[in-house]
Amino acid sequence: MSLSPTLLQATLAAQGEPLLAYVRQRLGAEVAEDVVQDALLKAVEGAPAMDDEADLARWLWRVVRN
């Protein structure tokens, strides 16, 4: 895993609800949690090495948007 658990936890605390709201608005509440969970799984499994919360937040948003 290339992300520290502390970094991931801090980023999720700050970005979790905004990410869910973004996906709910575009795809509906029925699939929002699944889409965000898939993005988070990608983050845990394959995010490039990073050590900055802002970088991780930008990367997560890019994954969710795509």
Side-chain angles (χ1 to χ4, degrees):
M1 180 165 85
S2 60
L3 296 176
S4 78
T6 304
L7 175 63
L8 185 59
Q9 196 170 36
T11 305
L12 290 178
Q15 300 297 320
E17 283 303 317
L19 283 168
L20 272 173
Y22 174 83
V23 175
R24 276 189 204 114
Q25 192 174 45
R26 280 150 185 81
L27 302 177
E30 304 80 29
V31 297
E33 287 188 23
D34 289 337
V35 170
V36 173
Q37 282 181 344
D38 287 347
L40 297 177
L41 184 59
K42 285 182 182 182
V44 170
E45 291 179 342
M50 41 183 104
D51 58 3
D52 181 66
E53 186 177 332
D55 290 341
L56 179 56
R58 281 190 292 276
W59 190 83
L60 280 174
W61 278 95
R62 192 173 321 124
V63 169
V64 168
R65 276 190 227 110
N66 291 326

